[in-house]
Amino acid sequence: MDRRSFIRKAGASGVGAAAAAAALATPAIAQSNPKVTWRLASSFPKSLDTIYGGAEVFSKMLSEATDGNFQVQVFASGELVPGLQAADATTAGTVEACHTVAYYYWGKDPTWALGAAVPFSLNARGMNAWHYHGGGIDLFNEFLATQGLFGLPGGNTGVQMGGWFRKQINTVADLSGLKMRIGGFAGKVVQKLGVVPQQIAGGDIYPALEKGTIDAAEWVGPYDDEKLGFYKVAPYYYYPGWWEGGPTVHLMFNKAKYEELSPAYKSLVHTAAQAADANMLQKYDYLNPAAVKRLVAGGAKLAPFSQEIMAACFEKANEVYAEMESNNAPFKKIWESIKAFRKEHYLWAQVAEYNYDTFMMVQQRNGKL
């Protein structure tokens, strides 16, 4: 072989080797999975950055893990569909996914609410324990399958506040005739104590309180509530929101579209959803302390619901549960699972966690932290 022929052949071999090396360097996931582009409808406005941001965390993780092959475009409430129709749009295939709270749809069937939060249920840690290790995800997906959906936890706010009141509420008698912006399951419970539940969109709450059209309103917690300025017109800020001890925010997917995904993509969806779930609660835990201090400085008057009111609401909630269990088999199946774990969860919570937290709270109050 002459020198020129050798160089030509070596050059051709080099090009082939380079191409092979480039192919090997391409991430395996990019070679084995097609490009997927989904649209996700959020039930939340961008102004509620922490709860809305859960979907953005989910989308970002999927994109980064797949070199941009799996894209989920997030649309705020109202951009594609109204916020309270996000799950319906996902079922219909208008969008492939949504980020929402399941109790928004409880009017169609109260079973929806069990995947998120119901009165006097579990706190955030308890809900996550039940979902991930107590069979909750599978149980709730049995129900969601009847709606053409598959769902995964995608956030949690932690226990919410009990709302803003124009006047002090000390006894059960003070609830009689009270017009309160409170929806869904909780509205059904307090109605038994004389409260008149009102369904009002978030943007209309402030003027309704200011004009006296309503006497009270619940929203979320300090960080989100601060943005709406309720303390200016309804200064009494009560806690806890016993109807939302640990509300799970769900990522829901059109079941047929989810089933089309490869096993690798399904695994990534689960991983990204669980990361978004944890991130939201962590962010609220970090932001709420400073927000509640600002609210108090601005005139908010913090107060716990009296034990009389808490006990009466607990009793009425159990009456509502009994009614629902008697005529709704899917509701009964899931609620019995939650109740069984709730009993165990609050037994364990009384031991190390409660005593450690109580001691540290005393130190905080004594100015030692």
Side-chain angles (χ1 to χ4, degrees), residues 5-277:
S5 176
F6 176 79
I7 291 173
R8 282 199 305 272
K9 291 180 181 289
S13 298
V15 170
L24 288 172
T26 303
I29 198 163
Q31 298 181 54
S32 61
N33 290 282
K35 288 187 178 294
V36 174
T37 301
W38 279 2
R39 298 193 303 172
L40 181 151
S42 173
S43 285
F44 317 106
K46 292 180 181 178
S47 58
L48 297 179
D49 57 288
T50 302
I51 195 166
Y52 170 82
E56 293 185 317
V57 170
F58 173 73
S59 172
K60 184 173 184 287
M61 289 193 68
L62 283 180
S63 178
E64 290 178 350
T66 62
D67 281 346
N69 281 329
F70 196 156
Q71 293 288 330
V72 177
Q73 299 171 300
V74 180
F75 295 88
S77 173
E79 289 185 344
L80 291 180
V81 296
L84 299 185
Q85 295 176 24
D88 299 322
T90 308
T91 295
T94 306
V95 294
E96 289 81 10
C98 66
H99 191 225
T100 189
V101 187
Y103 56 50
Y104 289 157
Y105 314 97
W106 90 284
K108 298 193 293 183
D109 185 327
T111 309
W112 277 95
L114 292 173
V118 291
F120 299 103
S121 184
L122 293 159
N123 60 18
R125 283 181 61 174
M127 280 301 290
N128 278 331
W130 176 73
H131 272 306
Y132 292 109
H133 299 284
I137 290 176
D138 291 339
L139 278 172
F140 194 48
N141 271 315
E142 284 181 21
F143 170 74
L144 288 182
T146 67
Q147 313 296 314
L149 297 168
F150 177 80
L152 293 169
N156 201 302
T157 67
V159 61
Q160 296 192 3
M161 293 293 282
W164 299 87
F165 293 73
R166 287 163 55 89
K167 64 177 184 178
Q168 287 182 294
I169 303 296
N170 298 313
T171 68
V172 172
D174 293 330
L175 297 174
S176 183
L178 187 85
K179 298 188 293 294
M180 182 176 183
R181 188 271 184 192
I182 184 170
F185 217 127
K188 192 173 181 66
V189 173
V190 295
Q191 195 170 23
K192 288 178 171 284
L193 294 169
V195 173
V196 183
Q198 306 286 312
Q199 295 277 12
I200 300 175
D204 298 326
I205 298 174
Y206 186 95
L209 282 169
E210 186 177 35
K211 295 172 184 176
T213 307
I214 58 174
D215 305 304
E218 62 88 24
W219 189 233
V220 182
Y223 180 70
D224 288 336
D225 290 12
E226 181 185 22
K227 298 174 183 179
L228 299 183
F230 297 143
Y231 65 93
K232 299 173 185 175
V233 289
Y236 297 99
Y237 198 20
Y238 281 92
Y239 58 88
W242 44 262
W243 51 91
E244 293 184 271
T248 296
V249 182
H250 266 85
L251 285 156
M252 296 182 189
F253 313 100
N254 178 281
K255 194 170 189 304
K257 287 294 183 181
Y258 172 80
E259 293 299 340
E260 290 175 2
L261 296 176
S262 67
Y265 272 11
K266 285 180 181 177
S267 178
L268 284 173
V269 164
H270 282 248
T271 300
Q274 191 164 1
D277 184 21

Side-chain angles (χ1 to χ4, degrees), residues 266-319:
K266 285 180 181 177
S267 178
L268 284 173
V269 164
H270 282 248
T271 300
Q274 191 164 1
D277 184 21
N279 184 75
M280 185 186 295
L281 182 59
Q282 292 157 4
K283 191 171 180 182
Y284 270 118
D285 281 345
Y286 186 79
L287 294 172
N288 277 328
V292 77
K293 288 195 289 186
R294 290 192 298 267
L295 285 168
V296 171
K301 297 175 173 61
L302 282 176
F305 285 125
S306 68
Q307 289 300 298
E308 176 190 336
I309 289 175
M310 292 290 287
C313 291
F314 182 73
E315 179 184 343
K316 296 304 179 184
N318 286 333
E319 290 179 10

